[in-house]
Amino acid sequence: MKVIAVYPGTFDPITNGHLDIISRGVRLFDDIILAILRNPDKEPLFPLEERMEILSSVVARLPNVRVESFDGLLIDYARSRGARVIVRGLRALSDFEYEYQMALMNQRLGPDIDTFFMMPSEAYSYVSSRLVKEVARLGGDVTGLVPPEVEARLKRRLAVMGRA
Ligand code: PNS
């Protein structure tokens, strides 16, 4: 039986830390669905369509990874896709509290679906979308922290916003 995993997130933008988790996931699961939350409370830098485009492009060479968006409860979405696993990356202890609460809530809502935590390479243990955006916004170099395509799009997006 195929094991389908959903890797949910805001991915605003995707970082090399996310990609590291995805490349570990493809060794473990038959299919991985990258699921972008459609209406996060946070105001995203990149519109959903652009995040879908970026994700699709950076995982294009991985045949068993696809990109979708979702709304509503993650557990309902995962079930609708026949997924038995939710993948989340754990970097430092500071991630734990939030991830633990989400995993237990999802376990209560859907005991048939398990959350699977993976640690990215230590090289990315401090990388977050939030910090990448902050550094890029303030003119710092984010080379190596995000795929080159994201780096270029960050420059473009921030320039457009600066002009607005
Ligand atoms: O990358 P993020 O922003 O930390 O991802 C958060 C995400 C998308 C995994 C989380 O907000 C989510 O699952 N939202 C869907 C709504 C939901 O199911 N809420 C209850 C989960 S405990």
Side-chain angles (χ1 to χ4, degrees):
M1 193 178 160
K2 263 180 138 185
V3 180
I4 300 170
V6 165
Y7 182 10
T10 311
F11 300 107
D12 184 44
I14 189 166
T15 67
N16 284 346
H18 292 122
L19 275 179
D20 184 274
I21 297 290
I22 295 165
S23 58
R24 287 166 201 280
V26 293
R27 300 199 296 253
L28 297 167
F29 306 112
D30 296 300
D31 285 316
I32 299 185
I33 306 173
L34 303 182
I36 309 180
L37 179 64
R38 230 174 275 152
N39 288 317
D41 292 336
K42 353 178 184 177
E43 181 70 31
L45 176 65
F46 292 99
L48 175 67
E49 295 66 31
E50 191 165 2
R51 280 178 284 147
M52 299 268 306
E53 233 177 87
I54 298 172
L55 259 67
S56 303
S57 147
V58 297
V59 300
R61 66 189 170 81
L62 302 170
N64 58 341
V65 180
R66 67 176 195 270
V67 182
E68 294 189 351
S69 64
F70 79 103
D71 225 342
L73 281 179
L74 170 63
I75 210 78
D76 291 341
Y77 165 76
R79 198 175 286 118
S80 76
R81 294 298 180 265
R84 299 221 310 264
V85 173
I86 292 170
V87 167
R88 291 290 287 172
L90 259 191
R91 290 161 302 188
L93 202 56
S94 50
D95 283 343
F96 184 75
E97 181 80 28
Y98 169 61
E99 296 296 338
Y100 182 68
Q101 286 179 2
M102 273 205 306
L104 288 181
M105 183 60 81
N106 282 328
Q107 194 179 75
R108 182 195 154 95
L109 296 169
D112 49 327
I113 297 176
D114 283 300
T115 301
F116 192 94
F117 291 111
M118 275 193 279
M119 276 186 275
S121 156
E122 62 178 335
Y124 304 120
S125 56
Y126 63 97
V127 178
S128 68
S129 301
R130 184 183 60 81
L131 272 187
V132 161
K133 282 183 284 192
E134 184 174 322
V135 170
R137 194 175 287 126
L138 297 173
D141 185 13
V142 294
T143 310
L145 306 181
V146 291
E149 171 168 357
V150 171
E151 207 182 323
R153 288 198 191 235
L154 267 170
K155 286 198 181 110
R156 234 179 298 153
R157 183 97 204 133
L158 291 168
V160 168
M161 288 181 64
R163 283 200 294 271

